[in-house]
Amino acid sequence: MKKNDPIYIGENATDHLLNYLNEHGLKQLTLVADDNTYAALGEQVDKALRAQDFDVTTIVLTGEEVIAGDPYLVQVLAKAPVADHTFIAVGGGTITDITRFISHRTKNNFISMPTATSVDGFTSIGAPLVLDGVKQTLISQPPLAVFADLPTLQNAPQRLIASGFGDMVGKYTSLADWELGRMLWDEPYDEDIAKRARTGLDTCVSYADEIGTASAEGIRHLMDGLVESGLCMLDFGSSRPASGAEHHCSHYWEMMLLQEGRPAMLHGAKVGFATTLIIGQYNKIREMSREEMMDRLEAADLPDRDAEVATIRAAYGDVADEVINGQSDFLEMDAETFDGVKRKIADCWEDIQEVAASLPTVDEVKATLQKVGTPTTPEELGLTADEVRRAREYGHFLRSRFTVMKLSRILGLSLTE
């Protein structure tokens, strides 16, 4: 999005949309929704557009669980007009990501009309999609504008509000992981963007009680935080400011559940629970003395590539090749590079522990999530203890990013206890 592109959060969002379309001469439109989001807002928008003689193609996706993946992408592509038009995504993260990707690939623009404060991707450039069974984020485009109807957001199912809050709480560990990546893996970093993301997180946490009751004030602050997080990703050019080890666990579970034909659960619900696990890993770092760290580094050996590949194949099965390709930076690491990372860990240990100490405790994060009803136990998500263990142990293979899980492996810390 450009600096002056409108982001409206308030009442009568449909009227603001109509004014925007008329002002910009956008008459050919394709509205994309699913059964639930069409009932929540899409039908109202559809009727309002047709009443003003806009040329509207309406695509309503159906199914027990609409996902941002192959079959639904094809459906939208097949049903959308060939002529130039503007897409309107009326829905949550899934509908937005489907529309974002298809609009970009067909060289059209899109407008976002969120129906729930469920994710932070409304204003971002990336489209997280499940393609051939692998969760991957493809660079697409941001919306021309965002029109969020506050009463619709307040009336959304509580589990969707809880999901968005979980996505925001995940910024605790994604931002911490980003700092580790800067220090230990020379990953690009932007301090101003990190501060913006942290401010959005802190504001949402401070309004947890109001968000939990879906008050207008609470939902507005949550939506503001989600929008700002998306803008941080947009300004940085990737999801790095908002996605770390907690998202890798979430992606692992989603891929596993889809492969098994089980409901994939809400993204933010998985992220919120995973954040409690990753916070626990940071707590181990915080409690480790410098002497113990040096002893562990001394004992650390360069991971064996063949053994790592075998682990990935066992964990990911048919989609292992895609995962292996994405881990090339780590799999191809030589002894000199590995020794350099160990030296950085030793040199930056005080800063690493400062990052760990800046995070709340596991109990504090759980208490915050519970105020809004975000799951904090595997049972609430329908996950077994073994499925939780596997995500903690294998999730980090999904992205070529340095996180606390990569650090823990080098230090010989358990990823599963």
Side-chain angles (χ1 to χ4, degrees), residues 133-135 245-260 264-265 267 270 274 311-317 319 323 383 386-399:
V134 179
K135 186 69 177 281
E246 74 296 324
H247 273 69
H248 303 162
C249 288
S250 174
H251 294 335
Y252 179 88
W253 287 320
E254 182 168 1
M255 290 167 57
M256 175 198 72
L257 293 168
L258 289 172
Q259 288 172 3
E260 296 176 1
M265 302 177 295
H267 167 76
K270 300 191 296 287
T311 297
I312 293 172
R313 291 200 181 282
Y316 287 93
V319 301
V323 178
L383 295 170
D386 186 59
E387 289 166 345
V388 172
R389 176 194 65 79
R390 282 153 48 195
R392 296 173 73 172
E393 191 168 354
Y394 306 133
H396 68 93
F397 287 120
L398 280 171
R399 295 291 184 271

Side-chain angles (χ1 to χ4, degrees), residues 200-214:
L201 162 63
D202 290 343
T203 299
C204 285
V205 170
S206 69
Y207 280 91
D209 290 326
E210 290 83 355
I211 294 169
T213 60

Side-chain angles (χ1 to χ4, degrees), residues 24-76:
H24 291 79
L26 302 175
K27 294 297 183 180
Q28 284 71 45
L29 309 169
T30 299
L31 187 152
V32 183
D34 62 28
D35 284 330
N36 293 325
T37 64
Y38 190 76
L41 182 63
E43 184 176 13
Q44 175 197 123
V45 174
D46 199 356
K47 289 180 177 178
L49 293 172
R50 295 179 188 278
Q52 292 196 13
D53 294 326
F54 286 92
D55 183 356
V56 185
T57 298
T58 303
I59 302 173
V60 179
L61 301 175
T62 62
E64 290 187 12
E65 185 177 27
V66 175
I67 65 167
D70 310 88
Y72 291 102
L73 294 172
V74 173
Q75 282 189 44
V76 175

